[in-house]
Amino acid sequence: MNILAVVSGGDAPGINAALFHLSRLVESNDDVLYGASGGFLGLLNEQIVELSPTLLMPTIGSGGSYLPSSREPVLNGVSRRAKIKSILEKYAIDGIVLFGGDGTMRHVLPIVSVMAVPCIGIPTTIDNDVPGTDETLGFDSACNYAISAIDGILATAYGLPGRGFVVETLGGRSGILALQIAQAVGAHAVLLPEYDFDEQWLVDRLRQALDKFQHALLVYGEGIASSRTLIDTLHSNHHLRLRDTRLGHAQRGSRPSYRDRWLANEMMDLVYQAFADGIQYGVVVIHDGRLRLSETDIAHLPPKMPDRNRYERINDLHSS
Ligand code: F6P
């Protein structure tokens, strides 16, 4: 078999480990693993490299992606799709393994129908917002990175009491990442793009925490409407002085955790077996801790939302 790996959209920790495991499976079965360098744009420009375990071994402990990704919406044009189809034919590609988030997973089915090549999607994003799966590759590492950073913040909060801290996580328009992190670190308040909040409520909540614990911790997802002005507003309107930390892209490029490396391995076992069995289409999903190949088209699933109950519990909204 000739298998092609494509990474599209935001990279995530665990991609390198997955590429390594797949390359090892491929090599031991005398197959070939190619990679598109630069996502679908790289594929369109025939930037294709051959991948091997020797090449990839040094990368398994790194975040990012050995195969550069791209956010270019290349597959929208008819002539571009035709060109990609001819490149896939030239390299005699028997299957595409596609890494990416929600938007990328929507291309899996069209690739199979338009390019006539089997395609398996690997939901890969630190945001964990791909519908139809409990967990995406990269999410666990991004949570661990944030937890470790916030542990440091809390250490200094105890060391020099009386201050309020605010931490912004990545996550785009989804608050799932911020919510899970807030729960894990015992934040006093969490703000998410999906749920509105009242400014005075937030001020009271942070002041109560300061009184009771001698520090206050707010975690919010970068997609909240007021993310760029929140700290200044709380200071100027309410004289609440807060120290802020933006985890930014250091979070996305963080080291892959044990769980993400394990997931990467299990996912690639499934993918390789699926191609060997002649399966045409699927997305690797996780439900209740079990991995399987799903044929559900995620384009038809509702958006994944952060758990409202958990949000209300952290913010103590049930009792207010
Ligand atoms: O890949 C997901 C993500 O990291 C989001 O969490 C974030 O909002 C976005 O990508 C950032 O995208 P870019 O790197 O293009 O600025």
Side-chain angles (χ1 to χ4, degrees), residues 8 11 16-17 24 33 44 48 56 69 91 93 97-98 155-156 165 167 197 203 253 263 268 283 296 301 309 319:
S8 181
D11 53 84
N16 290 328
R24 203 156 58 165
L33 178 62
L44 181 71
I48 294 176
L56 294 164
S69 180
Y91 285 80
I93 298 300
V97 53
L98 180 58
T156 182
F165 294 89
V167 178
F197 67 95
V203 170
L263 275 182
M268 291 308 106
V283 172
T296 308
L301 296 175
N309 273 329
S319 55

Side-chain angles (χ1 to χ4, degrees), residues 9-11 71 125-127 170-173 177 222 249 252:
D11 53 84
R71 288 201 193 275
T125 165
I126 63 164
D127 300 351
L170 284 188
R173 285 182 304 246
L177 181 65
E222 60 171 349
H249 287 71
R252 195 168 80 194

Side-chain angles (χ1 to χ4, degrees), residues 245-265:
T245 302
R246 292 192 171 134
L247 299 176
H249 287 71
Q251 184 179 23
R252 195 168 80 194
S254 56
R255 285 185 68 225
S257 62
Y258 164 71
R259 176 152 182 90
D260 276 328
R261 296 184 203 201
W262 176 82
L263 275 182
N265 202 330

